[in-house]
Amino acid sequence: MNVNVSVLGAQAKRNAIVARTLKWWDRNRRELAWRASPGETPDPYRVWLSEVLLQQTTARAATAYYQEFVEKWPTVEDLAAASHEAVISAFAGLGYYSRARNLHACAKEIARRGGRFPSEEAELRALPGVGAYTAAAIAAIAFGGHAAPVDGNVARILARLLALDEPIAQARSAIAAAARALAPRKRPGDFAQALMDIGATICRPRNPECSACPLSEDCAALRSGAPQAYPRRAAAKARPRRRGAVFLARRTDGAFLARRRPPRGLLASTVELPGTPWTSEGPGGAWLDAAPVAARWLRLPGVVEQVFTHFELTLTVYVALVEGGAPDGCFWVSPDGVGEAGFSNVMRKAVARALRAR
């Protein structure tokens, strides 16, 4: 995309934008669990961990997970020594479970290197699960490197600053160029975090508070009179729908059968209720073939629904009282242990529905 970024002006103007942004940051920075205090040297482990947890997740939702991680595994070596199942369980409910697998693999690699993170973007990108944004964020925030991380908040700010006429997905090269043009050599981590905070609290997707924004006097979208019209929106694509069935087989003591999903693919390594494959056709008349044990299965009214990135899922829930041991591939879970077992969000919904029906 060939975009004129002259709105950023000469170096003196870019310096002024940076100066106003940093002045705003010094007065308004958010206090976040993983953020180093002013004058404190950031811990690369905690910067990396927070950036992984924040992918596709709000700061509010990520905070409790971050605190649990650093309490259980205060160093990267501690995390590397944890079992794969323990890391997946700590991630349960946060979604995008490939992050957990990559997080553990990266921790093992850093531990192999003596617990020291590389400081350069290129070396960081070579680590498992570390992409362009995460590498730039670690380099800038943890090491003070001259890097320009662009997350969703920063992309929205720059799309408005430039009044780009294409959706973000088609304007990434222009946004990256603008980020590089603005990134200062002094306090690059503070500048990056300032933009993240502005995007989260001021330059919001809806109802941006332009009067409070340190970038307002240079914002082309604001000058257009319709800042909320930027970034331009891509045409929404209809998500396909998949259907399936799950089974909660309960003993008289309340424990129920569960199993662990494969280590690769959607919701990898999370715990689930036994059930049918998820297909566009649904289980049809063959639903009973997927039941973990023979029993008098009762279909519960209603369904459990979950929206994934590429499809929408509808699950029918069946319950039954059973006796005997756990079949191959399954294990018993106590109702009191649901929160720590490692269920995904959709399976937590299914379990909750089934347990309410007892």
Side-chain angles (χ1 to χ4, degrees):
M1 181 179 179
N2 185 16
V3 172
N4 181 5
V5 295
S6 61
V7 67
L8 297 179
Q11 186 63 52
K13 184 175 182 180
R14 296 198 294 273
N15 290 345
I17 292 173
V18 170
R20 288 198 308 275
T21 302
L22 289 173
K23 183 178 180 180
W24 177 91
W25 157 263
D26 289 338
R27 293 176 176 175
N28 301 283
R29 68 195 304 274
R30 290 184 295 172
E31 297 298 324
L32 300 173
W34 48 82
R35 186 169 278 173
S37 301
E40 180 184 0
T41 301
D43 179 350
Y45 167 60
R46 298 193 172 205
V47 173
W48 162 73
L49 176 61
S50 67
E51 291 299 338
V52 173
L53 293 175
L54 284 164
Q55 292 169 18
Q56 306 292 333
T57 307
T58 64
R60 177 178 294 180
T63 297
Y65 287 88
Y66 171 83
Q67 291 170 332
E68 180 181 357
F69 264 82
V70 296
E71 182 177 342
K72 286 183 176 179
W73 305 300
T75 69
V76 70
E77 292 92 343
D78 295 326
L79 180 56
S83 70
H84 180 65
E85 290 75 19
V87 176
I88 292 292
S89 293
F91 228 91
L94 200 55
Y96 300 92
Y97 292 95
S98 61
R99 289 183 293 171
R101 183 172 64 250
N102 288 329
L103 184 84
H104 200 208
C106 186
K108 287 179 176 293
E109 173 60 21
I110 295 299
R112 188 187 67 79
R113 300 179 180 208
R116 296 180 64 85
F117 281 81
S119 60
E120 300 297 323
E121 276 188 82
E123 291 182 72
L124 287 162
R125 288 202 65 176
L127 296 171
V130 177
Y133 164 74
T134 304
I138 298 170
I141 298 170
F143 297 104
H146 185 218
V150 178
D151 67 354
N153 282 328
V154 175
R156 182 171 60 256
I157 290 169
L158 296 178
R160 285 174 172 166
L161 189 66
L162 299 171
L164 297 178
D165 279 324
E166 290 191 83
I168 285 175
Q170 283 75 53
R172 294 197 183 282
S173 61
I175 290 170
R180 288 193 298 270
L182 285 173
R185 293 192 176 275
K186 293 182 179 180
R187 301 182 66 187
D190 287 350
F191 181 71
Q193 292 175 97
L195 290 182
M196 295 172 195
D197 279 9
I198 290 167
T201 63
I202 293 177
C203 193
R204 300 179 295 263
R206 294 183 178 87
N207 303 316
E209 194 178 347
C210 298
S211 61
C213 183
L215 302 169
S216 59
E217 66 183 77
D218 298 291
C219 182
L222 179 58
R223 286 200 300 273
S224 77
Q228 193 168 308
Y230 298 89
R232 299 303 196 192
R233 291 169 177 78
K237 295 182 179 179
R239 289 188 181 92
R241 180 171 288 277
R242 299 181 189 175
R243 295 181 295 153
V246 291
F247 303 88
L248 189 136
R250 182 174 58 86
R251 294 188 312 208
T252 55
D253 66 356
F256 59 91
L257 288 174
R259 67 187 182 189
R260 191 171 294 278
R261 290 179 66 86
R264 294 289 185 274
L266 182 68
L267 306 180
S269 296
T270 59
V271 175
E272 67 175 1
L273 295 178
T276 69
W278 303 342
T279 65
S280 57
E281 298 80 13
W287 63 269
L288 190 56
D289 295 339
V293 294
R296 294 172 60 89
W297 291 101
L298 172 66
R299 176 176 176 168
L300 298 182
V303 293
V304 170
E305 295 182 319
Q306 182 76 19
V307 177
F308 293 94
T309 304
H310 300 299
F311 68 95
E312 297 179 4
L313 176 66
T314 299
L315 292 178
T316 302
V317 181
Y318 293 85
V319 297
L321 191 63
V322 301
E323 297 179 353
D328 289 345
C330 292
F331 50 88
W332 297 104
V333 174
S334 166
D336 295 336
V338 170
E340 299 176 356
F343 288 100
S344 62
N345 277 336
V346 65
M347 286 299 155
R348 289 188 185 192
K349 292 179 186 178
V351 169
R353 176 177 286 270
L355 293 180
R356 284 198 303 268
R358 289 189 296 176

